[in-house]
Amino acid sequence: MTTRPVALDLNGYTDLPPGKIATVVTYLEMHEPPRLSPVRAPEGLSLERIDHDLVRYRRLFRRIGEDWLWFSRAVMPDGDLASILGDPAVEAYALNDGTGDVGLLELDFRSQNEAELAFLGLVPGIIGQGAGRYLMTEALRRAFARPVSRFFVHTCSLDHPSALTFYLRSGFTAYKRAIEVADDPRLLGFLPLEAAPHVPVLAGPK
């Protein structure tokens, strides 16, 4: 039996098939560095390059993203992820507090004259202590240290509730929205079923 594709209703509700998740994605950009006061690293924190360490990267990505259902890199095969992180135009950093990694900053310069803030996040318990603002300061400094004409990022409605506001306050301007539909990574075994409890698992009837 062939499943008929679901048409998106642009003026109302669209039912999702069991096992699917959906999120509203907001795309943001800036074309010159904003006039923000620089922020120093909170005491005891330092940035360490981790492009070469796939295990460390995955561990940190999962610690940060599991609560918000970050799945893009969770479902990505090791070879594909290693190819991205191994590209000299990609920079991935861990924010370390001396006992472990507590934040992630990833910048992608593969598009000519552009930079993407691929990921910026903190582990639970660190948000609200100035570490995020420091990571953004570093992101802006490193991005505009190169001859880029555009710095861009996207966030979604599954992310931390303050994420979009944080980007807007950092100088980004929203320019596009999209709806992303994907297989629930928890049902595929890439994330535990208890991840992101604010997004119920809907597997359908048994």
Side-chain angles (χ1 to χ4, degrees):
M1 180 177 179
T2 303
T3 302
R4 296 179 62 185
V6 178
L8 176 65
D9 186 344
L10 296 179
N11 292 297
Y13 297 97
T14 300
D15 289 340
L16 292 178
K20 293 287 187 177
I21 57 172
T23 180
V24 177
V25 181
T26 301
Y27 297 82
L28 307 101
E29 64 183 0
M30 64 173 69
H31 296 277
E32 58 185 19
R35 295 180 179 179
L36 300 175
S37 300
V39 177
R40 293 184 179 181
E43 186 176 354
L45 297 181
S46 60
L47 277 180
E48 300 177 5
R49 194 82 178 256
I50 59 169
D51 319 275
H52 60 286
D53 194 334
L54 200 64
V55 173
R56 184 178 178 185
Y57 178 95
R58 281 201 181 278
R59 182 170 58 243
L60 178 57
F61 185 91
R62 182 161 181 165
R63 284 190 65 202
I64 293 171
E66 196 169 280
D67 283 349
W68 312 113
L69 219 57
W70 286 11
F71 62 87
S72 60
R73 296 289 171 79
V75 304
M76 186 177 289
D78 282 349
D80 293 347
L81 180 56
S83 179
I84 293 173
L85 296 179
D87 193 303
V90 174
E91 302 177 3
Y93 300 90
L95 187 65
N96 191 281
D97 68 357
T99 63
D101 296 331
V102 296
L104 173 67
L105 171 62
E106 184 177 335
L107 298 168
D108 189 336
F109 297 96
R110 288 178 294 176
S111 295
Q112 187 175 9
N113 299 324
E114 294 186 334
E116 179 183 7
L117 179 53
F119 293 100
L120 188 155
L122 300 169
V123 301
I126 300 298
I127 297 173
Q129 300 179 26
R133 178 55 56 197
Y134 166 67
L135 283 181
M136 180 57 74
T137 296
E138 283 296 301
L140 293 167
R141 182 181 69 81
R142 293 170 188 269
F144 286 105
R146 301 194 183 201
V148 300
S149 59
R150 179 173 176 259
F151 188 30
F152 63 98
V153 66
H154 71 266
T155 186
C156 75
S157 53
L158 293 176
D159 211 344
H160 190 282
S162 300
L164 180 54
T165 301
F166 175 73
Y167 290 128
L168 292 171
R169 289 179 176 174
S170 298
F172 288 94
T173 299
Y175 68 93
K176 185 177 75 168
R177 287 195 187 92
I179 296 174
E180 180 181 13
V181 178
D183 293 324
D184 192 327
R186 297 167 296 187
L187 294 174
L188 298 176
F190 291 105
L191 294 176
L193 288 175
E194 60 271 18
H198 63 293
V199 184
V201 176
L202 301 177
K206 296 182 179 180

